[in-house]
Amino acid sequence: MTESRQIDQGKPPRTMSREQRRTQLIEATISTLAARGYSRTTLTEVARTAGLSHGLVLFHFETKEKLLGETLAYLAEEYRQNWQGALANAGPDPAEQLNAMIEADFAPAICAPARLAAWCSFWGEAQSRPLYQEACGDKDDAYNATLEGICARLSNEGGYDRNPVHAARIIRVTTEGTWLDMMTMVTPYSPAEAMTTVRTAAALCFPNHFTPEGLK
Amino acid sequence: MTESRQIDQGKPPRTMSREQRRTQLIEATISTLAARGYSRTTLTEVARTAGLSHGLVLFHFETKEKLLGETLAYLAEEYRQNWQGALANAGPDPAEQLNAMIEADFAPAICAPARLAAWCSFWGEAQSRPLYQEACGDKDDAYNATLEGICARLSNEGGYDRNPVHAARIIRVTTEGTWLDMMTMVTPYSPAEAMTTVRTAAALCFPNHFTPEGLK
DNA sequence: GTTCTGATTGACAAAGCAGTCAGTCAAAGG
DNA sequence: CCTTTGACTGACTGCTTTGTCAATCAGAAC
């Protein structure tokens, strides 16, 4: 499910491998969710977005429920890989790691309008379907644990006496609230502006290491 | 639309006044949105929740679209009255006012699970429906302007050299992110715990006036 | 070329939905 | 008691949607 995200756009062959087609249909589902919202996302519309017949969607995913579940899993996995990759590329310094995680959360691939809108669609249905808590609960757990660990090390090494659990929570809810803002605000809201907001929160928690513009 | 939110629960008469019935149906819509999500909210289910026939829902609201639009307007108005009322009851001191607004955002009437879930349903559809952006956006404008004003006065009078726009934004996105957390977290999340998170953010912005537990 | 396998299509069935409407019922006013 | 008015019901319609399936098609293996 995670390999070969890229789809060959040269001249689409009539048939594709199972994995390629599934990925293409999941991407079409994300686009449709963003364009029409969860409630008006139909199999026919997903198929039309992909330029395929609606029967094929069910051939590959069996039911609409499973298509949406796999779409959510795809988004969750993409999100996880994004921040874990950014963290792996950052140095051992906790301030750099925290900065890397903040930047990762607003990377174009993650907080592109269509991606955010798709996430938001799922949030709206979350409370009524265990599906989402399954897919997202684990992801959030790993993210939180990592963030708290980084904040704890930054607190210790940086000489702050801040509660790392509180700091991590502030950073996380600030990020989530900013995503929601980007979705619901009428006036456009750039990723750069969003990141400034989260960095401001980081600067409040760790003023010796962060400014609203980034690392000190 | 704003008067007489209370419904007489003694022994339901066969007929009710137009306004009472509309309010009852809007409340049933909120419950249904929370229980089943936006996409599976049907007129029949709303009617069943209210113990009425589905024809009556259309008699009072004409279309499903209008029912949902009025439900959102009802929620937005309820929200606005809640924080404006809390603000009116607070003293002239900006720190007290900020505290009042934070408490208002987590008052049981506002962040009850069903209310939050209903809001979340609308967020998920917002980007694809201009109807909802209006209702959600306008509420935010007045709220933001007020919050920024309070932060500006607190910054001045309290001797902080903090950018009040940034502080207000931090408080707001922290609140919104915490709401989202309350919706999507698997582990339960009490309003008291939520308020602690936002007060921690306030304490970071205005440490001489706030602690995570409340006003100093 | 032939065959085999798996992807793909589109016609179809079944179910659920919003919205319509003719008629019922209850309360109020005469 | 009679009439009027407005709330209310439930059967019905037409449309949309999900899901099924037999037939078709393209590419790979031989």
PDB file of all heavy atoms in Angstrom, chain A residues 12-26:
ATOM      1  N   PRO A  12      -1.936   6.698 -20.682  1.00  0.00           N
ATOM      2  CA  PRO A  12      -2.468   5.666 -19.794  1.00  0.00           C
ATOM      3  C   PRO A  12      -2.802   4.395 -20.552  1.00  0.00           C
ATOM      4  O   PRO A  12      -3.582   4.419 -21.497  1.00  0.00           O
ATOM      5  CB  PRO A  12      -3.730   6.328 -19.229  1.00  0.00           C
ATOM      6  CG  PRO A  12      -4.048   7.442 -20.147  1.00  0.00           C
ATOM      7  CD  PRO A  12      -2.756   7.885 -20.721  1.00  0.00           C
ATOM      8  N   PRO A  13      -2.228   3.293 -20.143  1.00  0.00           N
ATOM      9  CA  PRO A  13      -2.564   2.017 -20.764  1.00  0.00           C
ATOM     10  C   PRO A  13      -3.961   1.606 -20.347  1.00  0.00           C
ATOM     11  O   PRO A  13      -4.465   2.059 -19.330  1.00  0.00           O
ATOM     12  CB  PRO A  13      -1.519   1.061 -20.200  1.00  0.00           C
ATOM     13  CG  PRO A  13      -1.136   1.660 -18.900  1.00  0.00           C
ATOM     14  CD  PRO A  13      -1.279   3.147 -19.047  1.00  0.00           C
ATOM     15  N   ARG A  14      -4.547   0.744 -21.130  1.00  0.00           N
ATOM     16  CA  ARG A  14      -5.931   0.347 -20.833  1.00  0.00           C
ATOM     17  C   ARG A  14      -6.005  -0.407 -19.505  1.00  0.00           C
ATOM     18  O   ARG A  14      -6.936  -0.217 -18.734  1.00  0.00           O
ATOM     19  CB  ARG A  14      -6.471  -0.517 -21.973  1.00  0.00           C
ATOM     20  CG  ARG A  14      -7.926  -0.875 -21.777  1.00  0.00           C
ATOM     21  CD  ARG A  14      -8.514  -1.485 -23.041  1.00  0.00           C
ATOM     22  NE  ARG A  14      -9.931  -1.754 -22.879  1.00  0.00           N
ATOM     23  CZ  ARG A  14     -10.874  -0.839 -23.005  1.00  0.00           C
ATOM     24  NH1 ARG A  14     -10.533   0.408 -23.288  1.00  0.00           N
ATOM     25  NH2 ARG A  14     -12.138  -1.155 -22.843  1.00  0.00           N
ATOM     26  N   THR A  15      -5.049  -1.254 -19.261  1.00  0.00           N
ATOM     27  CA  THR A  15      -5.032  -1.947 -17.977  1.00  0.00           C
ATOM     28  C   THR A  15      -3.778  -1.586 -17.213  1.00  0.00           C
ATOM     29  O   THR A  15      -2.752  -1.246 -17.785  1.00  0.00           O
ATOM     30  CB  THR A  15      -5.091  -3.478 -18.152  1.00  0.00           C
ATOM     31  OG1 THR A  15      -3.816  -3.922 -18.624  1.00  0.00           O
ATOM     32  CG2 THR A  15      -6.170  -3.880 -19.131  1.00  0.00           C
ATOM     33  N   MET A  16      -3.897  -1.677 -15.910  1.00  0.00           N
ATOM     34  CA  MET A  16      -2.769  -1.379 -15.022  1.00  0.00           C
ATOM     35  C   MET A  16      -2.644  -2.500 -14.004  1.00  0.00           C
ATOM     36  O   MET A  16      -3.581  -3.258 -13.774  1.00  0.00           O
ATOM     37  CB  MET A  16      -3.020  -0.064 -14.279  1.00  0.00           C
ATOM     38  CG  MET A  16      -2.536   1.172 -14.995  1.00  0.00           C
ATOM     39  SD  MET A  16      -2.677   2.582 -13.895  1.00  0.00           S
ATOM     40  CE  MET A  16      -2.203   3.908 -15.004  1.00  0.00           C
ATOM     41  N   SER A  17      -1.515  -2.520 -13.353  1.00  0.00           N
ATOM     42  CA  SER A  17      -1.341  -3.502 -12.290  1.00  0.00           C
ATOM     43  C   SER A  17      -2.295  -3.161 -11.157  1.00  0.00           C
ATOM     44  O   SER A  17      -2.712  -2.019 -10.984  1.00  0.00           O
ATOM     45  CB  SER A  17       0.089  -3.477 -11.772  1.00  0.00           C
ATOM     46  OG  SER A  17       0.272  -2.389 -10.912  1.00  0.00           O
ATOM     47  N   ARG A  18      -2.617  -4.181 -10.406  1.00  0.00           N
ATOM     48  CA  ARG A  18      -3.558  -4.012  -9.305  1.00  0.00           C
ATOM     49  C   ARG A  18      -3.163  -2.854  -8.386  1.00  0.00           C
ATOM     50  O   ARG A  18      -3.982  -2.003  -8.055  1.00  0.00           O
ATOM     51  CB  ARG A  18      -3.589  -5.322  -8.508  1.00  0.00           C
ATOM     52  CG  ARG A  18      -4.609  -5.340  -7.403  1.00  0.00           C
ATOM     53  CD  ARG A  18      -4.803  -6.759  -6.875  1.00  0.00           C
ATOM     54  NE  ARG A  18      -5.894  -6.799  -5.934  1.00  0.00           N
ATOM     55  CZ  ARG A  18      -7.167  -6.847  -6.282  1.00  0.00           C
ATOM     56  NH1 ARG A  18      -7.503  -6.850  -7.562  1.00  0.00           N
ATOM     57  NH2 ARG A  18      -8.114  -6.871  -5.368  1.00  0.00           N
ATOM     58  N   GLU A  19      -1.872  -2.826  -8.013  1.00  0.00           N
ATOM     59  CA  GLU A  19      -1.437  -1.838  -7.027  1.00  0.00           C
ATOM     60  C   GLU A  19      -1.490  -0.418  -7.584  1.00  0.00           C
ATOM     61  O   GLU A  19      -1.894   0.516  -6.896  1.00  0.00           O
ATOM     62  CB  GLU A  19      -0.022  -2.193  -6.562  1.00  0.00           C
ATOM     63  CG  GLU A  19       0.229  -1.873  -5.117  1.00  0.00           C
ATOM     64  CD  GLU A  19      -0.889  -2.369  -4.197  1.00  0.00           C
ATOM     65  OE1 GLU A  19      -1.376  -3.512  -4.337  1.00  0.00           O
ATOM     66  OE2 GLU A  19      -1.301  -1.573  -3.339  1.00  0.00           O
ATOM     67  N   GLN A  20      -1.081  -0.277  -8.843  1.00  0.00           N
ATOM     68  CA  GLN A  20      -1.118   1.050  -9.462  1.00  0.00           C
ATOM     69  C   GLN A  20      -2.547   1.572  -9.558  1.00  0.00           C
ATOM     70  O   GLN A  20      -2.820   2.737  -9.272  1.00  0.00           O
ATOM     71  CB  GLN A  20      -0.516   0.986 -10.872  1.00  0.00           C
ATOM     72  CG  GLN A  20       0.994   1.065 -10.901  1.00  0.00           C
ATOM     73  CD  GLN A  20       1.507   0.997 -12.332  1.00  0.00           C
ATOM     74  OE1 GLN A  20       1.058   0.163 -13.126  1.00  0.00           O
ATOM     75  NE2 GLN A  20       2.438   1.864 -12.673  1.00  0.00           N
ATOM     76  N   ARG A  21      -3.451   0.685  -9.980  1.00  0.00           N
ATOM     77  CA  ARG A  21      -4.841   1.116 -10.155  1.00  0.00           C
ATOM     78  C   ARG A  21      -5.466   1.490  -8.823  1.00  0.00           C
ATOM     79  O   ARG A  21      -6.179   2.487  -8.715  1.00  0.00           O
ATOM     80  CB  ARG A  21      -5.635  -0.010 -10.825  1.00  0.00           C
ATOM     81  CG  ARG A  21      -6.919   0.440 -11.428  1.00  0.00           C
ATOM     82  CD  ARG A  21      -6.745   1.504 -12.486  1.00  0.00           C
ATOM     83  NE  ARG A  21      -6.827   1.025 -13.851  1.00  0.00           N
ATOM     84  CZ  ARG A  21      -6.458   1.748 -14.902  1.00  0.00           C
ATOM     85  NH1 ARG A  21      -5.944   2.960 -14.720  1.00  0.00           N
ATOM     86  NH2 ARG A  21      -6.544   1.273 -16.118  1.00  0.00           N
ATOM     87  N   ARG A  22      -5.172   0.696  -7.810  1.00  0.00           N
ATOM     88  CA  ARG A  22      -5.712   1.003  -6.481  1.00  0.00           C
ATOM     89  C   ARG A  22      -5.228   2.368  -6.007  1.00  0.00           C
ATOM     90  O   ARG A  22      -6.012   3.168  -5.480  1.00  0.00           O
ATOM     91  CB  ARG A  22      -5.292  -0.077  -5.486  1.00  0.00           C
ATOM     92  CG  ARG A  22      -6.071  -1.386  -5.645  1.00  0.00           C
ATOM     93  CD  ARG A  22      -5.446  -2.496  -4.822  1.00  0.00           C
ATOM     94  NE  ARG A  22      -5.476  -2.235  -3.399  1.00  0.00           N
ATOM     95  CZ  ARG A  22      -6.471  -2.635  -2.598  1.00  0.00           C
ATOM     96  NH1 ARG A  22      -7.489  -3.290  -3.094  1.00  0.00           N
ATOM     97  NH2 ARG A  22      -6.433  -2.364  -1.313  1.00  0.00           N
ATOM     98  N   THR A  23      -3.940   2.630  -6.198  1.00  0.00           N
ATOM     99  CA  THR A  23      -3.404   3.922  -5.782  1.00  0.00           C
ATOM    100  C   THR A  23      -4.070   5.055  -6.555  1.00  0.00           C
ATOM    101  O   THR A  23      -4.439   6.082  -5.984  1.00  0.00           O
ATOM    102  CB  THR A  23      -1.888   3.950  -5.994  1.00  0.00           C
ATOM    103  OG1 THR A  23      -1.311   2.865  -5.275  1.00  0.00           O
ATOM    104  CG2 THR A  23      -1.306   5.256  -5.505  1.00  0.00           C
ATOM    105  N   GLN A  24      -4.248   4.846  -7.850  1.00  0.00           N
ATOM    106  CA  GLN A  24      -4.892   5.880  -8.666  1.00  0.00           C
ATOM    107  C   GLN A  24      -6.307   6.150  -8.172  1.00  0.00           C
ATOM    108  O   GLN A  24      -6.741   7.312  -8.085  1.00  0.00           O
ATOM    109  CB  GLN A  24      -4.927   5.421 -10.132  1.00  0.00           C
ATOM    110  CG  GLN A  24      -5.577   6.443 -11.049  1.00  0.00           C
ATOM    111  CD  GLN A  24      -5.900   5.851 -12.429  1.00  0.00           C
ATOM    112  OE1 GLN A  24      -5.748   4.649 -12.660  1.00  0.00           O
ATOM    113  NE2 GLN A  24      -6.336   6.710 -13.329  1.00  0.00           N
ATOM    114  N   LEU A  25      -7.018   5.092  -7.828  1.00  0.00           N
ATOM    115  CA  LEU A  25      -8.397   5.264  -7.369  1.00  0.00           C
ATOM    116  C   LEU A  25      -8.452   5.926  -5.998  1.00  0.00           C
ATOM    117  O   LEU A  25      -9.359   6.708  -5.701  1.00  0.00           O
ATOM    118  CB  LEU A  25      -9.112   3.905  -7.347  1.00  0.00           C
ATOM    119  CG  LEU A  25      -9.448   3.353  -8.737  1.00  0.00           C
ATOM    120  CD1 LEU A  25      -9.898   1.901  -8.664  1.00  0.00           C
ATOM    121  CD2 LEU A  25     -10.523   4.211  -9.409  1.00  0.00           C
ATOM    122  N   ILE A  26      -7.475   5.619  -5.158  1.00  0.00           N
ATOM    123  CA  ILE A  26      -7.428   6.282  -3.849  1.00  0.00           C
ATOM    124  C   ILE A  26      -7.161   7.768  -4.022  1.00  0.00           C
ATOM    125  O   ILE A  26      -7.788   8.607  -3.361  1.00  0.00           O
ATOM    126  CB  ILE A  26      -6.363   5.604  -2.952  1.00  0.00           C
ATOM    127  CG1 ILE A  26      -6.892   4.265  -2.438  1.00  0.00           C
ATOM    128  CG2 ILE A  26      -5.973   6.504  -1.791  1.00  0.00           C
ATOM    129  CD1 ILE A  26      -5.882   3.438  -1.672  1.00  0.00           C
TER     130      ILE A  26
END
